[in-house]
Amino acid sequence: MALRHEPTASYHSVQDALRVLETVARHTTGVTDTDIARETGLGTERLTTLLRMLRREAYVEQITDGAYVTGAAFARLGAAEGHEEALREKLQRTLDRLRDRVGAAVYISRYVDGEVKVTQYADGPATPKVNEWVDFRYSAHATAVGKSLLTQLDHDGRRDHLARHRPARLTSRTITSDTLLLSRLAAQPPTVPVLDLQEYAVGTVCAAVPITAGSSVGCLALSLPLAHAHRLRQAADTLNRNAAPVLLSLTI
């Protein structure tokens, strides 16, 4: 399966964040922001933003003289033993924070062995998750999650998926034409959230953004009841701007 590699803003942020982390990790007794800037070549404003994010995520911390050292989350994710559990816990905390920030249920989904799989989510009483009335594996053509994952495959990968899971009409808005769906997937810019406007379920709208790490296809998504549809685009933009911590956790 070939992938479309079109870097997003989150991808570039993660690459810069990894450079900062590698620099901090080399200096076991601590390194100042001035030295980090010199070694990474990052500008002051960009570095300040990245360090703020890395501190919030506990990947770095400041010691008494203001220098930076690696933090607890970096140590846990970097350890071979317990990595999967540490990653799951870290992602869940990030999703919980994102749910509260965007005011919507949020999800991480992966494309695993040719199938759509929602691996984690964060919901709550005021932010209910989608009612999965049709298995997400069979409804990629209608969901923001599925369409975001399919946009990250090449043309043959998309055709293969649709051949295995024929597009069924789930609502009056569902696209069931292979030709039209493939055309829209090909035209979808990687930097723009994919939307589902009641294509999967009447009364629900969704958005998704890619979080591809290496050869692993993934996305970050949110869902809202139709009564909050007026918030969808703003929530999707917020989700897009805050996707970097999720992608960083998956990359470390």
Side-chain angles (χ1 to χ4, degrees):
M1 177 184 67
L3 308 182
R4 287 171 62 191
H5 286 285
E6 298 182 57
T8 62
S10 293
Y11 174 86
H12 289 301
S13 292
V14 167
Q15 295 308 301
D16 288 345
L18 287 172
R19 287 162 60 197
V20 173
L21 269 175
E22 289 167 0
T23 302
V24 174
R26 284 198 303 270
H27 297 268
T28 54
T29 59
V31 58
T32 66
D33 52 1
T34 301
D35 288 335
I36 296 171
R38 186 181 68 252
E39 293 187 31
T40 60
L42 293 168
T44 301
E45 186 176 348
R46 177 68 168 158
L47 179 59
T48 298
T49 299
L50 290 169
L51 285 170
R52 186 183 303 120
M53 184 265 283
L54 290 170
R55 286 182 66 188
R56 185 181 67 240
E57 299 294 328
Y59 289 127
V60 302
E61 60 183 56
Q62 276 187 295
I63 52 182
T64 51
D65 62 356
Y68 290 90
V69 295
T70 54
F74 181 77
R76 287 200 67 197
L77 288 181
E81 185 175 349
H83 171 79
E84 289 303 317
E85 181 183 355
L87 175 60
R88 189 167 187 83
E89 291 175 358
K90 184 73 179 72
L91 288 173
Q92 194 60 52
R93 287 194 295 272
T94 303
L95 288 179
D96 289 345
R97 189 167 61 243
L98 265 176
R99 173 200 60 204
D100 296 340
R101 184 161 190 171
V102 301
V106 293
Y107 315 76
I108 295 176
S109 185
R110 313 295 293 277
Y111 197 71
V112 181
D113 297 328
E115 302 293 351
V116 173
K117 182 179 181 182
V118 174
T119 54
Q120 279 180 259
Y121 65 88
D123 64 347
T127 53
K129 66 183 179 67
V130 172
N131 173 34
E132 190 178 351
W133 75 284
V134 175
D135 193 315
F136 290 142
R137 290 176 297 174
Y138 310 132
S139 54
H141 64 291
T143 64
V145 159
K147 289 186 289 182
S148 180
L149 295 174
L150 291 177
T151 62
Q152 297 173 63
L153 308 183
D154 64 6
H155 181 73
D156 289 342
R158 296 174 197 147
R159 288 187 64 87
D160 171 73
H161 185 93
L162 296 178
R164 289 184 290 110
H165 300 301
R166 299 301 307 152
R169 186 171 300 283
L170 306 182
T171 76
S172 62
R173 293 174 176 264
T174 307
I175 298 173
T176 57
S177 162
D178 283 12
T179 302
L180 179 55
L181 183 60
L182 288 168
S183 174
R184 291 198 178 178
L185 292 173
Q188 175 69 32
T191 55
V192 178
V194 177
L195 302 182
D196 157 21
L197 304 176
Q198 300 189 88
E199 295 170 55
Y200 173 74
V202 174
T204 300
V205 294
C206 306
V209 297
I211 50 169
T212 302
S215 61
S216 177
V217 171
C219 73
L220 186 62
L222 65 84
S223 65
L224 287 167
L226 184 60
H228 293 266
H230 61 283
R231 294 201 295 113
L232 180 63
R233 291 188 184 277
Q234 182 178 358
D237 289 341
T238 301
L239 188 76
N240 207 4
R241 289 196 304 271
N242 289 275
V246 176
L247 182 53
L248 182 60
S249 297
L250 293 170
T251 305
I252 292 176

